[in-house]
Amino acid sequence: MFQTLETINRRAKLWLWLIVIVGLVASLAVVVQRVQTEQTAKQVELVFDYRDLVDMSVYQPNPSQYIKDQLGVLKDAGIQSMAMFESSLQEFKSAKRIWLYNSNEAALLQGKPSNLNENFTYLLFAGPEEERELQPIIEETFLNLGIQVKLWSFDGKNGLIIETPYESAIMKSMPQDPIAMKLLRDQGFNIVPRLSDSMPYDPDQVEALLSMYEKNGVTRLLFDGDAVKGFNDDLKFSLTHFAETLNKHGIGIAAIEGLKAPQKGFSKLAYLTHYNVVRIHSISEQESFNDPKVLGDRLSLAVKDRNIRMFYLNAIVKKDTTKSEIVDSVENIVKSLGEPGDAKAKIQHDGFTFGQAKPFEVVDSSWQRYAKAAAVVGGVALIALMISYFVPYVMLLVFVIGLVGAGGLFVLHSNLLEQGLALGVAISAPTIAMVLAVRRIDMSSIDLSFGPRFGRSVALFLRTSILSLIAVPYVIALLNNITYSLVLEQFRGISLLFVAPVGLTALYVFLYRGESVFKEAKRWLSMPLTLLWVVAFVVVAGAGYYYLSRSGNAGTVSSIELTFRSLLENTFGVRPRNKEFLLAHPIFLVGAFIALRYRWGQFVFMIAAVGQMSMVNTFTHLHTPVLISLIRTVLGMGLGLIIGIIGILVWTVIERCWESWRLKLGL
């Protein structure tokens, strides 16, 4: 019976590999369209926070002139856009457009006794222009909130009485300062408004606001706070209305990179705006004083490696004790864009231009659905094949159950199907590759001379790497959706991907190379526990902890490694992964070379599996362009091959010295 099952299993395995190859070809076709999509948005927009400029002007003897001068400096440096927050009475006051008083202060100003039963807000306009531009905005804001507004004047200046406490009045959000907006437009800047969800959603107000934005050339806006405009009133379908109004006026939105939690409602709004979204990376106030070269590298890498198309630049002032004065970080930002940071030159060198950021134009042919279906079937087959190397007789059962489960998930939760299958494929391919590498070593003859051992080691490394990379087209095809490029969705199960191929390789090396799994397990368990085993366990556990702490988006990196990474980036243009070319790939080559003569060398394949997994993991960063990931992987393999060959030569010298020493001692 077992012989019959084995015969059926062997024949079925050939058919499953054929299905995997068909799925691979279909996936490669999807990858081509993914690459085409990534080539459609090549403009980069530099945005400066105008509020920071206003805040810094307070420390200058002539604030208005300072703002005008700095706007010229920023324009010359290549800044195309200015971000403008929603205004408030406090903002108007800081900009010297109005004067604000509470009831007691207004009474003192007029030489009248205080009215203890009144707690209102009084304001005076700085001049006729401020009155003409700001009075309608202020009145409309408070009247819509049910707060009465009355005319007031003092000492030849006109103003308003707002019948709400001062502390409450300054918290109310209003449209962007029209006077500042006109100044910025006259200076040639584009406007990037920042909207909050702090006020009740009013469809008419939103329509008027976005119409005004369109007239002022606004093509994209940012959200301020933890939610998008309209989220808190979404039971009234405000998000749908807001999206429809954005679409009507041709205005898109920007996704802020690196937030601890996505802004509430952003994913839904992105969907409703047909993903008229670009990714924006921020340089914070404190970071704006960093080394210009560091900032320059950071900006250029964000564009090239992470599909960033907008930058949000902040600035701040600090005390310079050496000069005994207060300095701002504007000059430092300018240096990061020009010399010595050279961010603009590097970005242009990588094939990008500067202008208002545009969303990706998704290339999605009608045949993609059929290609994805082939990828689903091929992915199930690959997972079944991986399981067959550990539990041989369940392969066909796993394949059939996998197909049925995939069909059910497609109906119930297609997103879960794609993510689960992508993770399974990403684990399966490098695991199969490492298992077959171990098998190939076991089938090879022992005590080969240098030439054959060297050739077989290199060939085995290349063969294993190609098998591992089978997972890549599958992962890209299964998750080929613009939401992954925009990081609205991410590859799930990254921690399991880091652990599973390494653990399964170790399992195979320890238990599947003898007569049976049970005998091997019994043999290992019956070995006496020695101090050496305890030390080995502690070392492995420590290495595993360090490996996991370094992996994933939350991994920590030392300053020395950051410097080394920068050196690699500047040398090669794309940085290969350290754990691949410095550790795992060389260990694979040296381990294979050793194992072809001394079978214990196969145990180092457990470490070598890290490199095979890492190559696949590189492509699970779906916001990184495919071509960049491909270059990074090929570079890692090439450098790892060179270092591995050096390692083989070193081992050969050690091996020959040992043989000579052993013969002399007659051992």
Side-chain angles (χ1 to χ4, degrees):
M1 178 181 176
F2 284 106
Q3 289 181 345
T4 303
L5 284 174
E6 187 175 349
T7 302
I8 295 173
N9 196 63
R10 189 183 302 112
R11 292 175 180 175
K13 186 172 287 189
L14 293 175
W15 282 104
L16 288 186
W17 273 114
L18 181 60
I19 292 171
V20 168
I21 292 171
V22 172
L24 178 65
V25 173
S27 299
L28 285 170
V30 178
V31 172
V32 170
Q33 294 206 329
R34 159 78 185 274
V35 173
Q36 291 173 340
T37 296
E38 292 171 344
Q39 302 300 314
T40 59
K42 305 293 286 187
Q43 289 197 150
V44 178
E45 185 172 359
L46 301 173
V47 185
F48 190 86
D49 190 331
Y50 179 71
R51 175 184 282 179
D52 287 346
L53 205 57
V54 174
D55 290 343
M56 291 186 298
S57 71
V58 174
Y59 298 91
Q60 305 299 321
N62 189 333
S64 297
Q65 188 60 46
Y66 171 81
I67 291 176
K68 290 180 181 179
D69 291 343
Q70 294 304 315
L71 287 175
V73 170
L74 292 169
K75 187 69 177 177
D76 292 340
I79 306 289
Q80 312 112 308
S81 305
M82 285 284 160
M84 296 189 68
F85 284 84
E86 291 173 312
S87 294
S88 65
L89 294 181
Q90 185 63 49
E91 291 245 343
F92 292 146
K93 178 183 177 182
S94 298
K96 304 296 190 292
R97 311 226 188 276
I98 62 173
W99 288 277
L100 281 178
Y101 312 95
N102 59 31
S103 290
N104 289 336
E105 291 169 338
L108 289 172
L109 184 70
Q110 299 174 89
K112 298 178 180 180
S114 298
N115 184 349
L116 300 180
N117 293 319
E118 178 190 295
N119 190 12
F120 295 159
T121 302
Y122 289 71
L123 69 84
L124 290 173
F125 296 106
E129 180 186 12
E130 287 78 7
E131 180 181 357
R132 181 178 65 254
E133 297 291 341
L134 302 184
Q135 182 171 333
I137 295 174
I138 296 171
E139 287 183 336
E140 182 180 10
T141 297
F142 287 97
L143 290 174
N144 285 338
L145 293 172
I147 299 172
Q148 292 299 311
V149 180
K150 298 178 181 178
L151 297 176
W152 178 57
S153 61
F154 174 74
D155 197 24
K157 295 187 180 296
N158 295 327
L160 299 171
I161 301 174
I162 304 170
E163 296 187 357
T164 191
Y166 180 99
E167 292 76 12
S168 175
I170 61 175
M171 295 176 63
K172 303 299 186 279
S173 297
M174 306 178 198
Q176 280 73 19
D177 182 349
I179 299 173
M181 187 175 289
K182 183 178 184 303
L183 169 66
L184 296 175
R185 293 289 291 160
D186 290 344
Q187 293 279 343
F189 289 101
N190 302 312
I191 305 300
V192 179
R194 297 204 65 169
L195 294 184
S196 68
D197 196 35
S198 60
M199 302 287 281
Y201 189 87
D202 186 320
D204 294 333
Q205 280 187 330
V206 168
E207 169 62 39
L209 182 66
L210 296 188
S211 178
M212 183 270 288
Y213 286 165
E214 184 181 13
K215 291 177 182 177
N216 281 278
V218 172
T219 60
R220 197 159 306 281
L221 54 82
L222 272 167
F223 297 106
D224 181 29
D226 63 354
V228 304
K229 183 73 173 177
F231 173 79
N232 291 317
D233 295 311
D234 196 35
L235 291 177
K236 303 174 184 177
F237 307 104
S238 53
L239 269 183
T240 302
H241 176 270
F242 185 49
E244 291 172 348
T245 312
L246 285 171
N247 295 336
K248 174 184 174 182
H249 294 285
I251 299 174
I253 56 180
I256 303 173
E257 183 187 43
L259 293 177
K260 292 182 178 179
Q263 291 173 310
K264 298 172 185 175
F266 192 94
S267 293
K268 180 177 180 180
L269 188 62
Y271 171 76
L272 293 172
T273 57
H274 314 298
Y275 296 105
N276 186 359
V277 180
V278 300
R279 300 187 69 220
I280 186 167
H281 177 78
S282 299
I283 301 295
S284 69
E285 286 90 348
Q286 290 72 26
E287 292 170 334
S288 65
F289 273 111
N290 288 353
D291 186 333
K293 291 183 179 180
V294 174
L295 289 177
D297 286 342
R298 176 171 160 182
L299 296 175
S300 62
L301 286 176
V303 173
K304 182 174 64 177
D305 282 11
R306 301 198 305 280
N307 282 332
I308 295 296
R309 295 296 181 266
M310 294 181 77
F311 288 106
Y312 194 93
L313 306 174
N314 290 279
I316 197 173
V317 298
K318 71 175 183 180
K319 296 179 180 178
D320 188 337
T321 55
T322 61
K323 298 180 180 179
S324 299
E325 61 183 25
I326 293 176
V327 296
D328 61 54
S329 56
V330 171
E331 182 181 359
N332 203 60
I333 290 174
V334 170
K335 288 181 178 179
S336 69
L337 296 174
E339 295 182 353
D342 294 323
K344 287 181 60 184
K346 291 176 182 176
I347 291 170
Q348 289 173 325
H349 179 267
D350 290 329
F352 297 90
T353 59
F354 289 93
Q356 285 185 295
K358 297 179 180 179
F360 288 111
E361 298 175 14
V362 179
V363 180
D364 186 5
S365 299
S366 58
W367 52 260
Q368 264 204 39
R369 69 184 69 179
Y370 305 108
K372 282 192 173 184
V376 168
V377 178
V380 173
L382 190 62
I383 294 170
L385 284 166
M386 187 269 288
I387 292 174
S388 74
Y389 288 105
F390 297 91
V391 190
Y393 302 113
V394 302
M395 182 184 69
L396 284 177
L397 181 62
V398 169
F399 179 63
V400 173
I401 292 175
L403 288 180
V404 173
L409 277 177
F410 179 77
V411 174
L412 298 175
H413 201 315
S414 60
N415 192 41
L416 182 60
L417 166 65
E418 293 167 351
Q419 292 187 347
L421 204 53
L423 174 61
V425 168
I427 292 171
S428 297
T431 300
I432 291 173
M434 290 305 302
V435 167
L436 292 178
V438 173
R439 285 189 169 190
R440 181 60 64 93
I441 292 290
D442 280 333
M443 291 187 297
S444 300
S445 57
I446 295 178
D447 199 21
L448 298 171
S449 58
F450 175 82
R453 287 171 70 192
F454 176 79
R456 290 187 183 185
S457 299
V458 172
L460 186 62
F461 168 69
L462 296 176
R463 175 178 176 271
T464 303
S465 297
I466 291 171
L467 279 174
S468 294
L469 292 173
I470 285 177
V472 170
Y474 275 99
V475 170
I476 294 173
L478 290 167
L479 304 180
N480 185 39
N481 191 299
I482 191 62
T483 55
Y484 290 94
S485 296
L486 298 172
V487 199
L488 303 177
E489 292 274 6
Q490 294 191 64
F491 179 89
R492 304 294 179 185
I494 198 72
S495 296
L496 186 58
L497 173 59
F498 285 138
V499 173
V502 178
L504 290 172
T505 300
L507 182 68
Y508 194 87
V509 169
F510 276 102
L511 300 182
Y512 283 80
R513 296 173 53 240
E515 293 181 28
S516 71
V517 173
F518 298 106
K519 287 184 178 180
E520 286 298 306
K522 182 179 179 180
R523 184 171 70 86
W524 285 106
L525 291 173
S526 62
M527 285 185 178
L529 184 63
T530 64
L531 180 61
L532 181 61
W533 279 107
V534 174
V535 171
F537 175 79
V538 171
V539 171
V540 170
Y545 176 78
Y546 177 73
Y547 165 64
L548 290 175
S549 71
R550 290 287 323 283
S551 303
N553 296 327
T556 56
V557 183
S558 67
S559 59
I560 296 175
E561 186 169 353
L562 286 174
T563 303
F564 183 59
R565 286 182 175 189
S566 179
L567 175 64
L568 290 172
E569 188 75 40
N570 293 329
T571 302
F572 297 107
V574 175
R575 178 182 63 81
R577 289 193 156 186
N578 293 347
K579 61 173 164 271
E580 292 176 19
F581 82 92
L582 289 178
L583 177 68
H585 293 342
I587 281 179
F588 186 106
L589 286 156
V590 176
F593 186 81
I594 294 172
L596 285 168
R597 185 169 185 179
Y598 310 102
R599 289 297 188 245
W600 58 263
Q602 288 174 308
F603 288 101
V604 303
F605 276 13
M606 294 181 291
I607 302 174
V610 171
Q612 303 302 308
M613 175 282 303
S614 179
M615 291 193 297
V616 176
N617 176 54
T618 294
F619 291 87
T620 66
H621 295 77
L622 296 163
H623 56 284
T624 298
V626 174
L627 294 179
I628 294 295
S629 295
L630 181 61
I631 294 170
R632 174 169 288 128
T633 299
V634 173
L635 267 175
M637 288 178 61
L639 293 174
L641 185 60
I642 293 171
I643 296 174
I645 290 172
I646 295 172
I648 288 174
L649 295 175
V650 171
W651 173 261
T652 301
V653 172
I654 294 173
E655 188 179 77
R656 290 181 178 177
C657 289
W658 163 255
E659 289 293 332
S660 176
W661 180 74
R662 188 172 63 86
L663 289 172
K664 287 181 180 180
L665 293 179
L667 297 176

